[in-house]
Amino acid sequence: MKLGKGPVFKDKIAKHNLALAELDSLRKTNLAKMASNDKKAKTLAFDLDKKLTQAQPIIDGFDGLMARINALNKLPLIPSLFIMLLFLAIETSPIIAKLLSPKGEYDYKLEDLETALKATLTQDNYQRDLLVKTSALMHDKVYQDIAQDKKLYELQRQKATELLELQAHNFVAKQKKTL
């Protein structure tokens, strides 16, 4: 009748040890399963990436009307023809609707802007041409007046003579050095 470890405690310890052993065995089997599932997931992800990189050029190359028409080659002739005509009608309907509709406010405003721009460009070109012609005439007149000036002519002649004399002296000095 002393307090301490009794038969109930021993039963609980035994059950606890049994549950702990089951938990350990379950962990081992689950770890093995998780490892194999991780391997499978990695290989599947790798295969998916590989297939995507192989298929991407094909996907990029096919879009729009021609891709749809090429896809129709796999269908029988009559449904394929009908679907192709349907695609053509859908693709061209905005253009046809615009061509058949009367001119509206937007069309008139657009035409007004375009003609205003053309007029401005024409005017700018004319003014540029006129500016170039006027400038050329002024420069011709200025240089003609300069050519008639006797003082400038004499000054230019004097400086050219001095320059030729210096060149001659320099040539003689170089010739003496080589001897």
Side-chain angles (χ1 to χ4, degrees), residues 95-141:
I95 297 168
I96 293 170
K98 179 65 180 163
L99 291 174
L100 293 177
S101 66
K103 275 189 171 183
E105 181 181 352
Y106 174 76
D107 295 319
Y108 291 124
K109 285 184 180 182
L110 182 64
E111 184 179 352
D112 183 43
L113 286 173
E114 287 174 351
T115 55
L117 182 64
K118 285 180 186 176
T120 304
L121 289 175
T122 305
Q123 185 178 8
D124 288 348
N125 285 338
Y126 175 74
Q127 287 176 351
R128 256 188 245 112
D129 291 342
L130 190 60
L131 179 67
V132 168
K133 288 178 186 175
T134 305
S135 180
L137 285 173
M138 285 176 38
H139 284 305
D140 288 346
K141 201 173 199 183

Side-chain angles (χ1 to χ4, degrees), residues 145-162:
D145 290 345
I146 290 173
Q148 300 294 329
D149 192 4
K150 295 280 186 192
K151 289 180 185 177
L152 281 176
Y153 173 76
E154 287 300 322
L155 180 65
Q156 182 110 17
R157 183 171 180 217
Q158 179 187 2
K159 296 296 179 183
T161 305
E162 288 177 18

